[in-house]
Amino acid sequence: MAASAWVIYNEAKKYLLTGDIDLNAATLKLGLYTSASNAATATLSVHSEITNEVTEGNGYSSSGKALTYTWTVGASASEMRFDATAVIWTATGGSIANIKYAVIFQQGASAGARKLLCYSQLTTAQFTVTIGNTLTLSTPANGIFELN
């Protein structure tokens, strides 16, 4: 299964420039969404607008998993890469079902305060992580996105 490139939400570009998303200090989370989700709608701006998150339980939490992220120099000195360490879910007590999208968002006090950063379509058809198995999401070699 090959994931699509990460796509930055339209409003996230503004949030990055205004400092509403501060990639030096923000707590970023990664959530999973089903094939029925609207996660791939580029005009979404806050977490409360996304539909059909993967069902809570069996090793998945709807509050998402925290990302450990960094900025590094890209292929040339004029490029900066935004990257994160792998995020792992283990299906315990049952399966984590119907996964298709991953979304990175800024943690906030309410769903409306959680600004969306980007999404990736993990596969063309939804899939399930069966009990005892893990899902590991690693970033591509060139990071989540590059600025140059």
mmCIF file with all atom_site columns, all heavy atoms in Angstrom, residues 33-49:
data_model
loop_
_atom_site.group_PDB
_atom_site.id
_atom_site.type_symbol
_atom_site.label_atom_id
_atom_site.label_alt_id
_atom_site.label_comp_id
_atom_site.label_asym_id
_atom_site.label_entity_id
_atom_site.label_seq_id
_atom_site.pdbx_PDB_ins_code
_atom_site.Cartn_x
_atom_site.Cartn_y
_atom_site.Cartn_z
_atom_site.occupancy
_atom_site.B_iso_or_equiv
_atom_site.pdbx_formal_charge
_atom_site.auth_seq_id
_atom_site.auth_comp_id
_atom_site.auth_asym_id
_atom_site.auth_atom_id
_atom_site.pdbx_PDB_model_num
ATOM 1   N N   . TYR A 1 33 ? -8.705  8.365  9.777  1.00 0.00 ? 33 TYR A N   1
ATOM 2   C CA  . TYR A 1 33 ? -10.068 8.588  9.301  1.00 0.00 ? 33 TYR A CA  1
ATOM 3   C C   . TYR A 1 33 ? -10.448 7.530  8.277  1.00 0.00 ? 33 TYR A C   1
ATOM 4   O O   . TYR A 1 33 ? -9.598  6.971  7.585  1.00 0.00 ? 33 TYR A O   1
ATOM 5   C CB  . TYR A 1 33 ? -10.192 10.012 8.714  1.00 0.00 ? 33 TYR A CB  1
ATOM 6   C CG  . TYR A 1 33 ? -9.883  11.024 9.783  1.00 0.00 ? 33 TYR A CG  1
ATOM 7   C CD1 . TYR A 1 33 ? -8.565  11.366 10.081 1.00 0.00 ? 33 TYR A CD1 1
ATOM 8   C CD2 . TYR A 1 33 ? -10.892 11.545 10.575 1.00 0.00 ? 33 TYR A CD2 1
ATOM 9   C CE1 . TYR A 1 33 ? -8.265  12.229 11.123 1.00 0.00 ? 33 TYR A CE1 1
ATOM 10  C CE2 . TYR A 1 33 ? -10.597 12.405 11.620 1.00 0.00 ? 33 TYR A CE2 1
ATOM 11  C CZ  . TYR A 1 33 ? -9.281  12.737 11.893 1.00 0.00 ? 33 TYR A CZ  1
ATOM 12  O OH  . TYR A 1 33 ? -8.994  13.567 12.928 1.00 0.00 ? 33 TYR A OH  1
ATOM 13  N N   . THR A 1 34 ? -11.751 7.275  8.143  1.00 0.00 ? 34 THR A N   1
ATOM 14  C CA  . THR A 1 34 ? -12.263 6.208  7.277  1.00 0.00 ? 34 THR A CA  1
ATOM 15  C C   . THR A 1 34 ? -12.420 6.679  5.827  1.00 0.00 ? 34 THR A C   1
ATOM 16  O O   . THR A 1 34 ? -12.261 7.866  5.526  1.00 0.00 ? 34 THR A O   1
ATOM 17  C CB  . THR A 1 34 ? -13.641 5.726  7.774  1.00 0.00 ? 34 THR A CB  1
ATOM 18  O OG1 . THR A 1 34 ? -14.611 6.748  7.495  1.00 0.00 ? 34 THR A OG1 1
ATOM 19  C CG2 . THR A 1 34 ? -13.644 5.409  9.255  1.00 0.00 ? 34 THR A CG2 1
ATOM 20  N N   . SER A 1 35 ? -12.805 5.750  4.965  1.00 0.00 ? 35 SER A N   1
ATOM 21  C CA  . SER A 1 35 ? -13.026 6.091  3.556  1.00 0.00 ? 35 SER A CA  1
ATOM 22  C C   . SER A 1 35 ? -14.246 6.990  3.387  1.00 0.00 ? 35 SER A C   1
ATOM 23  O O   . SER A 1 35 ? -14.375 7.675  2.374  1.00 0.00 ? 35 SER A O   1
ATOM 24  C CB  . SER A 1 35 ? -13.184 4.829  2.707  1.00 0.00 ? 35 SER A CB  1
ATOM 25  O OG  . SER A 1 35 ? -14.316 4.102  3.120  1.00 0.00 ? 35 SER A OG  1
ATOM 26  N N   . ALA A 1 36 ? -15.132 7.025  4.367  1.00 0.00 ? 36 ALA A N   1
ATOM 27  C CA  . ALA A 1 36 ? -16.317 7.893  4.307  1.00 0.00 ? 36 ALA A CA  1
ATOM 28  C C   . ALA A 1 36 ? -16.004 9.315  4.773  1.00 0.00 ? 36 ALA A C   1
ATOM 29  O O   . ALA A 1 36 ? -16.865 10.187 4.737  1.00 0.00 ? 36 ALA A O   1
ATOM 30  C CB  . ALA A 1 36 ? -17.437 7.304  5.155  1.00 0.00 ? 36 ALA A CB  1
ATOM 31  N N   . SER A 1 37 ? -14.774 9.573  5.184  1.00 0.00 ? 37 SER A N   1
ATOM 32  C CA  . SER A 1 37 ? -14.390 10.882 5.706  1.00 0.00 ? 37 SER A CA  1
ATOM 33  C C   . SER A 1 37 ? -14.226 11.910 4.592  1.00 0.00 ? 37 SER A C   1
ATOM 34  O O   . SER A 1 37 ? -13.936 11.583 3.449  1.00 0.00 ? 37 SER A O   1
ATOM 35  C CB  . SER A 1 37 ? -13.061 10.764 6.468  1.00 0.00 ? 37 SER A CB  1
ATOM 36  O OG  . SER A 1 37 ? -12.642 12.029 6.931  1.00 0.00 ? 37 SER A OG  1
ATOM 37  N N   . ASN A 1 38 ? -14.364 13.161 4.980  1.00 0.00 ? 38 ASN A N   1
ATOM 38  C CA  . ASN A 1 38 ? -14.105 14.283 4.080  1.00 0.00 ? 38 ASN A CA  1
ATOM 39  C C   . ASN A 1 38 ? -12.695 14.838 4.289  1.00 0.00 ? 38 ASN A C   1
ATOM 40  O O   . ASN A 1 38 ? -12.391 15.957 3.888  1.00 0.00 ? 38 ASN A O   1
ATOM 41  C CB  . ASN A 1 38 ? -15.151 15.380 4.283  1.00 0.00 ? 38 ASN A CB  1
ATOM 42  C CG  . ASN A 1 38 ? -15.086 15.983 5.681  1.00 0.00 ? 38 ASN A CG  1
ATOM 43  O OD1 . ASN A 1 38 ? -14.440 15.446 6.587  1.00 0.00 ? 38 ASN A OD1 1
ATOM 44  N ND2 . ASN A 1 38 ? -15.778 17.087 5.871  1.00 0.00 ? 38 ASN A ND2 1
ATOM 45  N N   . ALA A 1 39 ? -11.813 14.067 4.911  1.00 0.00 ? 39 ALA A N   1
ATOM 46  C CA  . ALA A 1 39 ? -10.468 14.521 5.271  1.00 0.00 ? 39 ALA A CA  1
ATOM 47  C C   . ALA A 1 39 ? -9.677  15.072 4.091  1.00 0.00 ? 39 ALA A C   1
ATOM 48  O O   . ALA A 1 39 ? -8.823  15.926 4.260  1.00 0.00 ? 39 ALA A O   1
ATOM 49  C CB  . ALA A 1 39 ? -9.685  13.385 5.933  1.00 0.00 ? 39 ALA A CB  1
ATOM 50  N N   . ALA A 1 40 ? -9.955  14.606 2.889  1.00 0.00 ? 40 ALA A N   1
ATOM 51  C CA  . ALA A 1 40 ? -9.220  15.049 1.695  1.00 0.00 ? 40 ALA A CA  1
ATOM 52  C C   . ALA A 1 40 ? -9.796  16.319 1.074  1.00 0.00 ? 40 ALA A C   1
ATOM 53  O O   . ALA A 1 40 ? -9.428  16.695 -0.030 1.00 0.00 ? 40 ALA A O   1
ATOM 54  C CB  . ALA A 1 40 ? -9.179  13.935 0.665  1.00 0.00 ? 40 ALA A CB  1
ATOM 55  N N   . THR A 1 41 ? -10.669 17.012 1.783  1.00 0.00 ? 41 THR A N   1
ATOM 56  C CA  . THR A 1 41 ? -11.230 18.269 1.303  1.00 0.00 ? 41 THR A CA  1
ATOM 57  C C   . THR A 1 41 ? -10.290 19.397 1.706  1.00 0.00 ? 41 THR A C   1
ATOM 58  O O   . THR A 1 41 ? -10.199 19.747 2.883  1.00 0.00 ? 41 THR A O   1
ATOM 59  C CB  . THR A 1 41 ? -12.642 18.494 1.891  1.00 0.00 ? 41 THR A CB  1
ATOM 60  O OG1 . THR A 1 41 ? -13.450 17.369 1.582  1.00 0.00 ? 41 THR A OG1 1
ATOM 61  C CG2 . THR A 1 41 ? -13.260 19.765 1.347  1.00 0.00 ? 41 THR A CG2 1
ATOM 62  N N   . ALA A 1 42 ? -9.582  19.950 0.746  1.00 0.00 ? 42 ALA A N   1
ATOM 63  C CA  . ALA A 1 42 ? -8.515  20.929 1.018  1.00 0.00 ? 42 ALA A CA  1
ATOM 64  C C   . ALA A 1 42 ? -9.012  22.204 1.690  1.00 0.00 ? 42 ALA A C   1
ATOM 65  O O   . ALA A 1 42 ? -8.228  22.928 2.283  1.00 0.00 ? 42 ALA A O   1
ATOM 66  C CB  . ALA A 1 42 ? -7.784  21.273 -0.272 1.00 0.00 ? 42 ALA A CB  1
ATOM 67  N N   . THR A 1 43 ? -10.318 22.485 1.624  1.00 0.00 ? 43 THR A N   1
ATOM 68  C CA  . THR A 1 43 ? -10.848 23.724 2.193  1.00 0.00 ? 43 THR A CA  1
ATOM 69  C C   . THR A 1 43 ? -11.213 23.602 3.675  1.00 0.00 ? 43 THR A C   1
ATOM 70  O O   . THR A 1 43 ? -11.637 24.588 4.278  1.00 0.00 ? 43 THR A O   1
ATOM 71  C CB  . THR A 1 43 ? -12.087 24.192 1.407  1.00 0.00 ? 43 THR A CB  1
ATOM 72  O OG1 . THR A 1 43 ? -13.051 23.130 1.397  1.00 0.00 ? 43 THR A OG1 1
ATOM 73  C CG2 . THR A 1 43 ? -11.703 24.578 -0.019 1.00 0.00 ? 43 THR A CG2 1
ATOM 74  N N   . LEU A 1 44 ? -11.040 22.430 4.280  1.00 0.00 ? 44 LEU A N   1
ATOM 75  C CA  . LEU A 1 44 ? -11.283 22.295 5.720  1.00 0.00 ? 44 LEU A CA  1
ATOM 76  C C   . LEU A 1 44 ? -10.231 23.097 6.470  1.00 0.00 ? 44 LEU A C   1
ATOM 77  O O   . LEU A 1 44 ? -9.107  23.254 5.995  1.00 0.00 ? 44 LEU A O   1
ATOM 78  C CB  . LEU A 1 44 ? -11.212 20.825 6.144  1.00 0.00 ? 44 LEU A CB  1
ATOM 79  C CG  . LEU A 1 44 ? -12.227 19.874 5.512  1.00 0.00 ? 44 LEU A CG  1
ATOM 80  C CD1 . LEU A 1 44 ? -11.974 18.450 5.990  1.00 0.00 ? 44 LEU A CD1 1
ATOM 81  C CD2 . LEU A 1 44 ? -13.636 20.306 5.812  1.00 0.00 ? 44 LEU A CD2 1
ATOM 82  N N   . SER A 1 45 ? -10.578 23.591 7.661  1.00 0.00 ? 45 SER A N   1
ATOM 83  C CA  . SER A 1 45 ? -9.595  24.378 8.405  1.00 0.00 ? 45 SER A CA  1
ATOM 84  C C   . SER A 1 45 ? -9.427  23.946 9.855  1.00 0.00 ? 45 SER A C   1
ATOM 85  O O   . SER A 1 45 ? -8.360  24.135 10.421 1.00 0.00 ? 45 SER A O   1
ATOM 86  C CB  . SER A 1 45 ? -9.937  25.865 8.334  1.00 0.00 ? 45 SER A CB  1
ATOM 87  O OG  . SER A 1 45 ? -11.183 26.124 8.932  1.00 0.00 ? 45 SER A OG  1
ATOM 88  N N   . VAL A 1 46 ? -10.475 23.406 10.478 1.00 0.00 ? 46 VAL A N   1
ATOM 89  C CA  . VAL A 1 46 ? -10.375 22.993 11.881 1.00 0.00 ? 46 VAL A CA  1
ATOM 90  C C   . VAL A 1 46 ? -10.880 21.557 12.050 1.00 0.00 ? 46 VAL A C   1
ATOM 91  O O   . VAL A 1 46 ? -11.677 21.057 11.262 1.00 0.00 ? 46 VAL A O   1
ATOM 92  C CB  . VAL A 1 46 ? -11.144 23.943 12.824 1.00 0.00 ? 46 VAL A CB  1
ATOM 93  C CG1 . VAL A 1 46 ? -10.486 25.309 12.873 1.00 0.00 ? 46 VAL A CG1 1
ATOM 94  C CG2 . VAL A 1 46 ? -12.596 24.054 12.436 1.00 0.00 ? 46 VAL A CG2 1
ATOM 95  N N   . HIS A 1 47 ? -10.421 20.920 13.107 1.00 0.00 ? 47 HIS A N   1
ATOM 96  C CA  . HIS A 1 47 ? -10.698 19.505 13.349 1.00 0.00 ? 47 HIS A CA  1
ATOM 97  C C   . HIS A 1 47 ? -12.185 19.192 13.426 1.00 0.00 ? 47 HIS A C   1
ATOM 98  O O   . HIS A 1 47 ? -12.623 18.120 13.016 1.00 0.00 ? 47 HIS A O   1
ATOM 99  C CB  . HIS A 1 47 ? -9.977  19.075 14.636 1.00 0.00 ? 47 HIS A CB  1
ATOM 100 C CG  . HIS A 1 47 ? -9.925  17.613 14.841 1.00 0.00 ? 47 HIS A CG  1
ATOM 101 N ND1 . HIS A 1 47 ? -10.796 16.950 15.667 1.00 0.00 ? 47 HIS A ND1 1
ATOM 102 C CD2 . HIS A 1 47 ? -9.108  16.676 14.312 1.00 0.00 ? 47 HIS A CD2 1
ATOM 103 C CE1 . HIS A 1 47 ? -10.512 15.671 15.651 1.00 0.00 ? 47 HIS A CE1 1
ATOM 104 N NE2 . HIS A 1 47 ? -9.486  15.472 14.835 1.00 0.00 ? 47 HIS A NE2 1
ATOM 105 N N   . SER A 1 48 ? -12.982 20.108 13.926 1.00 0.00 ? 48 SER A N   1
ATOM 106 C CA  . SER A 1 48 ? -14.424 19.855 14.069 1.00 0.00 ? 48 SER A CA  1
ATOM 107 C C   . SER A 1 48 ? -15.120 19.691 12.719 1.00 0.00 ? 48 SER A C   1
ATOM 108 O O   . SER A 1 48 ? -16.238 19.177 12.657 1.00 0.00 ? 48 SER A O   1
ATOM 109 C CB  . SER A 1 48 ? -15.086 20.975 14.870 1.00 0.00 ? 48 SER A CB  1
ATOM 110 O OG  . SER A 1 48 ? -14.935 22.215 14.209 1.00 0.00 ? 48 SER A OG  1
ATOM 111 N N   . GLU A 1 49 ? -14.475 20.087 11.624 1.00 0.00 ? 49 GLU A N   1
ATOM 112 C CA  . GLU A 1 49 ? -15.083 19.956 10.291 1.00 0.00 ? 49 GLU A CA  1
ATOM 113 C C   . GLU A 1 49 ? -14.862 18.582 9.669  1.00 0.00 ? 49 GLU A C   1
ATOM 114 O O   . GLU A 1 49 ? -15.541 18.223 8.718  1.00 0.00 ? 49 GLU A O   1
ATOM 115 C CB  . GLU A 1 49 ? -14.503 21.024 9.346  1.00 0.00 ? 49 GLU A CB  1
ATOM 116 C CG  . GLU A 1 49 ? -14.832 22.435 9.765  1.00 0.00 ? 49 GLU A CG  1
ATOM 117 C CD  . GLU A 1 49 ? -14.119 23.474 8.924  1.00 0.00 ? 49 GLU A CD  1
ATOM 118 O OE1 . GLU A 1 49 ? -13.025 23.197 8.383  1.00 0.00 ? 49 GLU A OE1 1
ATOM 119 O OE2 . GLU A 1 49 ? -14.664 24.579 8.818  1.00 0.00 ? 49 GLU A OE2 1
#
